[in-house]
Amino acid sequence: MSLRSFVPWPDKRLRTACADVPEITDEVRALWDDMIETMDAMPGVGLAAPQIGVMLRLAVVDASTARNRRIRLANPEIIESSTRLREHEEASPNLPGVSAKISRPRAVTVRYLDETGTITRRDFVDLEATSVQHQIDHLAGRMYFDRLSKVKRDMLLRRARKQRG
């Protein structure tokens, strides 16, 4: 396992939809391991492959306090969403130093390939649901701030540019 570097905003890979993963191989499993190590080093509760420059529909999530519920997802897609929303302060290591409150469905049902290559359907709630949705956005070439109004998004990006100098 090894730590991976983050692609800095505004790298075009962060705005590009990722390719599906045709099968779960040892290379995919090794990449997931690297992603988990990188996620833990942030520290964060999720990481999508394009954040480290790998343009595959892969993500990892662990929103547990004990950091012992690693979820490896390939080709995740939301198939059901609750109407009840949950607001959470979101950020990204690709654009450090800024964050925003984002409202997303409190619960989602996601279909994905797990580490064995099995199609899995799983319900996620609260922080886990927020993180899974955040990662799925990354896989589609979207950032969390795309969910803000244009005015709030522009303010956030101006603040980020100022911080970078």
Side-chain angles (χ1 to χ4, degrees):
M1 292 195 305
S2 62
L3 284 176
R4 299 288 189 108
S5 298
F6 296 107
V7 171
W9 175 261
D11 189 293
K12 68 179 180 181
R13 290 172 288 184
L14 296 171
R15 289 300 202 193
T16 304
C18 294
D20 281 341
V21 176
E23 65 179 317
I24 305 305
T25 62
D26 288 341
E27 291 79 16
V28 167
R29 288 183 191 94
L31 179 56
W32 269 327
D33 289 344
D34 287 355
M35 290 171 66
I36 287 169
E37 185 173 343
T38 304
M39 172 184 67
D40 287 345
M42 282 191 281
V45 295
L47 185 67
Q51 293 182 269
I52 56 171
V54 178
M55 302 309 294
L56 293 172
R57 291 182 44 76
L58 294 171
V60 293
V61 170
D62 188 344
S64 67
T65 304
R67 305 300 289 175
N68 61 356
R69 287 185 42 162
R70 275 67 162 92
I71 304 163
R72 294 162 176 84
L73 306 101
N75 307 329
E77 62 177 309
I78 297 169
I79 55 176
E80 291 179 42
S81 300
S82 69
T83 56
R84 187 169 157 209
L85 299 179
R86 175 181 185 275
E87 192 173 71
H88 185 75
E89 192 78 20
E90 295 188 33
S92 175
N94 305 96
L95 187 65
V98 293
S99 62
K101 284 190 191 268
I102 306 295
S103 290
R104 297 183 186 266
R106 181 188 162 274
V108 292
T109 301
V110 177
R111 181 174 40 233
Y112 61 95
L113 287 177
D114 68 13
E115 62 271 8
T116 68
T118 303
I119 296 173
T120 302
R121 178 183 164 130
R122 181 174 177 161
D123 296 326
F124 296 90
V125 296
D126 295 328
L127 183 55
E128 238 179 25
T130 297
S131 182
V132 167
Q133 292 171 81
H134 182 109
Q135 307 323 315
I136 290 172
D137 276 356
H138 274 301
L139 300 177
R142 291 190 302 265
M143 298 284 287
Y144 71 93
F145 53 76
D146 292 329
R147 296 188 173 274
L148 298 171
S149 69
K150 181 174 176 12
V151 170
K152 287 182 179 178
R153 181 175 55 248
D154 290 348
M155 285 174 40
L156 182 135
L157 293 174
R158 256 194 313 278
R159 197 167 56 238
R161 279 192 288 275
K162 265 188 204 177
Q163 288 180 356
R164 284 194 304 219

Short mmCIF file of all heavy atoms in Angstrom, two decimals, residues 11 19 29 37 106 112-114 128 140 160:
data_model
loop_
_atom_site.label_atom_id
_atom_site.label_comp_id
_atom_site.label_asym_id
_atom_site.label_seq_id
_atom_site.Cartn_x
_atom_site.Cartn_y
_atom_site.Cartn_z
N ASP A 11 -7.63 20.93 -12.03
CA ASP A 11 -7.24 19.90 -12.98
C ASP A 11 -8.48 19.34 -13.69
O ASP A 11 -9.48 19.04 -13.05
CB ASP A 11 -6.52 18.77 -12.22
CG ASP A 11 -5.88 17.75 -13.14
OD1 ASP A 11 -6.63 17.03 -13.83
OD2 ASP A 11 -4.64 17.67 -13.15
N ALA A 19 -14.46 6.07 -16.25
CA ALA A 19 -14.83 4.85 -16.97
C ALA A 19 -15.28 3.78 -15.98
O ALA A 19 -14.77 3.69 -14.86
CB ALA A 19 -13.62 4.34 -17.76
N ARG A 29 -8.06 -4.13 -6.46
CA ARG A 29 -7.98 -4.31 -5.01
C ARG A 29 -6.78 -3.55 -4.43
O ARG A 29 -6.88 -2.93 -3.36
CB ARG A 29 -7.89 -5.79 -4.65
CG ARG A 29 -9.20 -6.53 -4.87
CD ARG A 29 -9.09 -8.01 -4.43
NE ARG A 29 -10.24 -8.74 -4.89
CZ ARG A 29 -10.30 -9.43 -6.03
NH1 ARG A 29 -9.24 -9.51 -6.82
NH2 ARG A 29 -11.40 -10.06 -6.38
N GLU A 37 -5.61 3.90 2.48
CA GLU A 37 -4.48 4.49 3.20
C GLU A 37 -4.45 6.01 3.00
O GLU A 37 -4.21 6.77 3.95
CB GLU A 37 -3.16 3.87 2.71
CG GLU A 37 -1.97 4.35 3.51
CD GLU A 37 -0.68 3.63 3.16
OE1 GLU A 37 -0.73 2.54 2.55
OE2 GLU A 37 0.39 4.16 3.50
N ARG A 106 -30.78 12.21 3.10
CA ARG A 106 -30.28 11.62 4.34
C ARG A 106 -29.97 10.14 4.18
O ARG A 106 -29.08 9.61 4.83
CB ARG A 106 -31.33 11.79 5.44
CG ARG A 106 -30.90 11.22 6.77
CD ARG A 106 -32.04 11.23 7.79
NE ARG A 106 -31.73 10.32 8.86
CZ ARG A 106 -32.00 9.02 8.85
NH1 ARG A 106 -32.61 8.47 7.83
NH2 ARG A 106 -31.67 8.25 9.87
N TYR A 112 -23.61 -1.47 -6.50
CA TYR A 112 -22.19 -1.40 -6.86
C TYR A 112 -21.59 -2.79 -6.89
O TYR A 112 -22.18 -3.75 -6.39
CB TYR A 112 -21.42 -0.50 -5.88
CG TYR A 112 -21.45 -0.98 -4.44
CD1 TYR A 112 -20.40 -1.76 -3.93
CD2 TYR A 112 -22.49 -0.66 -3.60
CE1 TYR A 112 -20.42 -2.20 -2.61
CE2 TYR A 112 -22.52 -1.10 -2.28
CZ TYR A 112 -21.47 -1.87 -1.79
OH TYR A 112 -21.48 -2.30 -0.49
N LEU A 113 -20.39 -2.89 -7.46
CA LEU A 113 -19.60 -4.11 -7.37
C LEU A 113 -18.76 -4.02 -6.11
O LEU A 113 -18.08 -3.02 -5.89
CB LEU A 113 -18.67 -4.26 -8.58
CG LEU A 113 -19.27 -4.62 -9.93
CD1 LEU A 113 -18.17 -4.64 -11.00
CD2 LEU A 113 -19.96 -5.97 -9.86
N ASP A 114 -18.78 -5.07 -5.30
CA ASP A 114 -17.94 -5.07 -4.11
C ASP A 114 -16.57 -5.69 -4.41
O ASP A 114 -16.26 -6.00 -5.57
CB ASP A 114 -18.65 -5.78 -2.94
CG ASP A 114 -18.83 -7.28 -3.14
OD1 ASP A 114 -18.22 -7.88 -4.06
OD2 ASP A 114 -19.61 -7.87 -2.36
N GLU A 128 -22.51 8.35 6.26
CA GLU A 128 -22.15 7.38 5.22
C GLU A 128 -22.84 7.71 3.90
O GLU A 128 -22.24 7.66 2.84
CB GLU A 128 -22.56 5.97 5.67
CG GLU A 128 -21.44 4.99 5.72
CD GLU A 128 -21.87 3.61 6.19
OE1 GLU A 128 -23.04 3.22 6.06
OE2 GLU A 128 -20.97 2.92 6.69
N ALA A 140 -18.56 11.25 -11.48
CA ALA A 140 -19.27 11.85 -12.62
C ALA A 140 -18.66 13.18 -13.05
O ALA A 140 -19.20 13.86 -13.92
CB ALA A 140 -20.74 12.05 -12.26
N ALA A 160 -10.78 30.25 -2.18
CA ALA A 160 -9.76 29.21 -2.40
C ALA A 160 -8.57 29.79 -3.17
O ALA A 160 -7.42 29.50 -2.83
CB ALA A 160 -10.37 28.04 -3.16
#
